[in-house]
Amino acid sequence: MSTQTPNQDAKNKALDRAITVIGVLAILLLAGALAASYVPTVPFAVIQGVRYAGFACIALFVIGSIVQNKDFLADVAKNRTTQNGTKSLVTTVAILVIIGVLNWFGTRIHHRIDLTSNQQFSLSEQSKKIAKGLKQELKLTAFIRAGDPQGRQLKDLMAEYGYQTDKLKLEMIDPDREPGKAKLFFQSHPTASQRFNVLIIDNGTKLTEAQNVSEQDVTAAILKATQTETMSVYFLQGHGEADIDGFQQDGLSQAKQALEKQNYKVQKLSLFETKNVVPDDASVLVVAGPQKPLMPQELAALDAFVKRGGKLYAMLTAGADSGLEGLLAKYGITPQKDLVVDPRANLFGDAAAPVVQTYPSHVVTQGLRPTIYPAARSLDMAEKAPTGVTLTSLVESSDMSFGKRNLQDRSAEFNPSVDKKGPLKLAVAAVLDASASTKPTRILAVGNAQFAGNGYYTGAGNGDFFLNGVNWLAEQDNLVSIPPKTNEPKTLFLTGQQQSTIFLATVAGAPAAMLFAGGLVWWRRRRS
Amino acid sequence: MGKIWAIAGRELRSYFVSPLAYVVGALFLLVSGYLFSLILFGSREASMRGLFENLAVVFLLITPALTMRLLAEERARGTVELLLTAPVRDRDIVIGKYLAVCLYLLFLLGLTLIYPAILAWVGKPDWMPILSGYLGIFLLGASFMAVGLLASSWTSNQVIAAISTFAISLIIWLLPASSSVVGQQFGSVLEYVSVLSHQQNLGRGIIDTTDLVFYGSFIVVCLFLSIRSVEVYRWR
């Protein structure tokens, strides 16, 4: 050690004190940021600012400490003081432990920057908020084959969630490699879907599933898994409606199952038994294609239900009068007595089963695959919606389609004098504002019920459309509103010429140039 | 600092006056050029993520060749005595030699800049992830080099140094594969210690302080142990 002048001594002491103050400040700032993150009124930017200040103080503290103790550290590194093995071992172990602790902290306190131009690897604010707000631990299980890109996508995604919360525990099982593990899981979770690339979330009491590993679906499933109250969806019975327990083509057993996987309680409702009152706990009432008209008292019950804020999912059938027509007309939706025929966009040449591929913009149909509507009637949407009602067309048939008015006529020919020219509306959403006598609510009308039946539920986008519809009605549409990441089209189109140029330049040109440079050096050295 | 640079400069010069720098450079360009074209033609994507992930295997192969002689040769020739009795400290020797291989690594990476140039010619790459990918691949290479330096400090036999480097790097490389065998808790530790998994974030355009801390620590530990190992040699 060099001798120090009193002046230097005083300076050192001042520096020591400063370092201590900065260290304490760092701890206070970080603790403050942590505490503030539990207070919902503190804006996130403020927390972030405090956190950064804390990190800056830590950095200053570390740099200051190193500068202040550089002589000592140099001694340790050089082992000047201890020229003996055991002591050297002790310092080695000490250094390793310090590095270990540093890395342990490094995994817990850290910051990430996403440099991709479209923030491809960052969660939406909504997902972050939901992840940060998690109070209980959730066990996530996914069955993914090794090497499946979905596995990587899920891992990337879970890593992002992992930076927001430590409450999510993911386990990926490859049933081909770990059949025992998979078997054990299904023994303890008998209701779980035995399918690949489905994320199963266990909150300790019930299971929730995300049907694929996109951020949108996973966040929705996480949110559902944490909801304590279960929403009830009622299906009206007694007028020839589709049966929720029916396994036949037009049965709704698959729709029921999907709803239950999203944590809805699914029940049948017979208004005759409830003395014409829709139960109070009904979040959504589905009327799935009645074949005969509802009684006036029943319609009055439905009307009262809508007026007190109940959500109605009305699915109609072509050629059947349901009695709902009048109720819907009050809100600007007029079902037509026709059959939607589409000679071009249809299912395997069946002109009466139009296929819809593009949709007007709405959360329900966002990113939806093509949907099929077998034997549908069209809905008219009032030009000027009644006061307090906002109407949105969700599904429209193509320009080539038309509404066939004469249902006895079996031909698929357009008759301009009778039929109505397309595009025709197949589904309309209505948002009702509160008025003096009514509460705000939502109605979804579809000119078809078969689309949700088992025969069409999977394969096309029909199942997603049905589920999105129920979620939207139940005001769970925040779940479907996370916009999917748009991967900028960076795909290259290389001509054959370009390909061979690139290949020659990289595989032959560059290495050859390198060898040539080496040869040149060797030759010049030999000459000199 | 001056002594460290002097040692680094001497070492680096010895690379470039021998055929080593050029042959390794040419082979490196050959393999990475082949990988680059193959990945580019296959993915048709104006990014370097795929190449960065695959370059690790190239480093695994060339690192032993570059690092085996660093300290082992000095020991074998007896020149380490000269170094050790000269007025330089052990850490100056170790850090100086390490600096030299790192500079050579930068030289190799500099050669690969023709790839982003090609991407710019045929498309519109997202530049920031490429930049962070270069940082990642440099840190990965530097970690392998640190392992090589350490192995070279143990022995006077260059072949043993080279094979030890290769074996250690390979095991570190394969650690994540064993993580599923040993259970979740310990498995995540193994995954953390793997030098590869930390490069993945950087390769796709995410800079995470965790990864930087890891690489920094990994290199510091290797250098520290190398210094220790040189010291042990001095006692004997």
Side-chain angles (χ1 to χ4, degrees), chain A residues 103 110 112-113 115 117 152, chain B residues 49 126 192 205 207-208 217:
Chain A
N103 279 268
H110 64 134
R112 288 163 76 76
I113 315 167
L115 292 175
S117 53
R152 177 180 202 155
Chain B
R49 187 178 176 184
D126 195 357
Y192 179 77
I207 293 187
D208 192 318
S217 316

Side-chain angles (χ1 to χ4, degrees), chain A residues 360-381:
Chain A
S361 167
H362 194 270
V363 283
V364 172
T365 49
Q366 194 181 62
L368 191 64
R369 289 177 292 160
T371 45
I372 308 160
Y373 304 87
R377 62 200 281 196
S378 67
L379 306 170
D380 257 15
M381 202 170 95

Side-chain angles (χ1 to χ4, degrees), chain A residues 73-80 82-85 87-89 91-93 95-96 99 102-104 106-118 120-122 152 155-156 159-160 163 170-172 178 181 490-495 497-503 505-508 510-512 514-515 517-519 521-522 525, chain B residues 16-19 21-23 25-27 29-38 40-41 43-47 49 53 89-91 104 107 111 114-115 118-119 121-126 128-129 131-132 180 184 191-192 200-201 204-211 213-218 220-221 224-225 227-228 231-232 234-235:
Chain A
L73 288 173
D75 278 355
V76 171
K78 277 195 328 160
N79 201 21
R80 188 190 288 160
T82 57
Q83 289 285 333
N84 107 23
K87 274 204 177 164
S88 162
L89 190 69
T91 35
T92 306
V93 170
I95 294 276
L96 289 181
I99 295 269
L102 185 71
N103 279 268
W104 187 81
T107 57
R108 269 146 191 85
I109 308 167
H110 64 134
H111 185 63
R112 288 163 76 76
I113 315 167
D114 186 345
L115 292 175
T116 51
S117 53
N118 57 350
Q120 203 179 334
F121 301 107
S122 301
R152 177 180 202 155
K155 256 195 167 164
D156 283 354
E160 294 306 318
Y163 293 116
L170 174 71
E171 185 174 24
M172 291 208 305
E178 303 160 303
K181 231 180 195 172
K490 289 212 186 60
T491 312
L492 298 172
F493 296 99
L494 297 172
T495 61
Q497 179 70 37
Q498 280 175 321
Q499 284 208 6
S500 42
T501 309
I502 291 172
F503 192 77
T506 54
V507 179
M514 192 73 214
L515 283 180
V521 170
W522 174 78
R525 271 175 63 84
Chain B
F16 282 96
V17 292
S18 74
Y22 306 97
V23 173
L27 291 174
L29 279 177
L30 177 73
V31 179
S32 53
Y34 185 68
L35 286 171
F36 172 78
S37 326
L38 225 60
L40 180 68
F41 301 158
S43 70
R44 295 186 173 270
E45 205 180 282
S47 91
R49 187 178 176 184
E53 280 172 13
R89 288 167 297 186
D90 300 339
R91 60 164 180 188
Y104 183 70
F107 165 72
L111 296 176
I114 53 168
Y115 308 142
I118 287 172
L119 291 183
W121 171 49
V122 294
K124 261 204 201 134
D126 195 357
M128 292 310 274
L131 217 61
S132 75
S180 60
Q184 207 115 35
E191 202 147 332
Y192 179 77
Q200 277 169 5
N201 271 338
R204 61 199 176 114
I206 293 177
I207 293 187
D208 192 318
T209 52
T210 308
D211 303 323
V213 167
F214 170 80
Y215 279 123
S217 316
F218 188 88
V220 164
V221 166
F224 174 77
L225 292 177
I227 294 169
R228 271 290 135 90
E231 274 170 10
V232 171
R234 191 202 280 273
W235 301 339

Side-chain angles (χ1 to χ4, degrees), chain A residues 293-480:
Chain A
L294 276 66
M295 311 278 253
Q297 307 93 299
E298 293 177 315
L299 284 169
L302 258 53
D303 199 24
F305 172 68
V306 171
K307 278 194 175 133
R308 62 170 205 258
K311 277 95 180 173
L312 181 66
Y313 200 153
M315 305 188 211
L316 307 174
T317 306
D321 189 13
S322 64
L324 286 173
E325 288 79 1
L327 179 67
L328 292 174
K330 276 211 293 195
Y331 301 106
I333 306 169
T334 321
Q336 300 297 300
K337 286 185 193 282
D338 61 1
L339 177 72
V340 181
V341 174
D342 195 327
R344 195 192 281 164
N346 54 42
L347 185 68
F348 306 129
D350 177 3
V355 173
V356 179
Q357 315 206 21
T358 54
Y359 309 92
S361 167
H362 194 270
V363 283
V364 172
T365 49
Q366 194 181 62
L368 191 64
R369 289 177 292 160
T371 45
I372 308 160
Y373 304 87
R377 62 200 281 196
S378 67
L379 306 170
D380 257 15
M381 202 170 95
E383 294 261 312
K384 196 178 166 298
T387 350
V389 180
T390 314
L391 295 172
T392 316
S393 166
L394 293 185
V395 180
E396 289 173 13
S397 59
S398 77
D399 297 343
M400 291 293 291
S401 68
F402 57 92
K404 197 166 189 56
R405 293 249 164 79
N406 181 2
L407 298 184
Q408 309 306 322
D409 177 11
R410 290 269 145 209
S411 79
E413 296 296 312
F414 177 51
N415 182 351
S417 60
V418 192
D419 301 340
K420 193 180 174 198
K421 177 113 189 52
L424 302 168
K425 293 175 180 63
L426 292 168
V428 176
V431 176
L432 279 53
D433 296 336
S435 72
S437 57
T438 61
K439 281 189 169 167
T441 186
R442 295 175 172 187
I443 295 175
L444 182 54
V446 186
N448 178 240
Q450 253 178 304
F451 83 95
N454 295 333
Y456 299 93
Y457 197 83
T458 48
N462 284 21
D464 291 338
F465 177 57
F466 173 76
L467 266 188
N468 287 356
V470 175
N471 278 334
W472 178 76
L473 284 169
E475 287 176 3
Q476 303 277 305
D477 50 325
N478 55 339
L479 301 181
V480 275

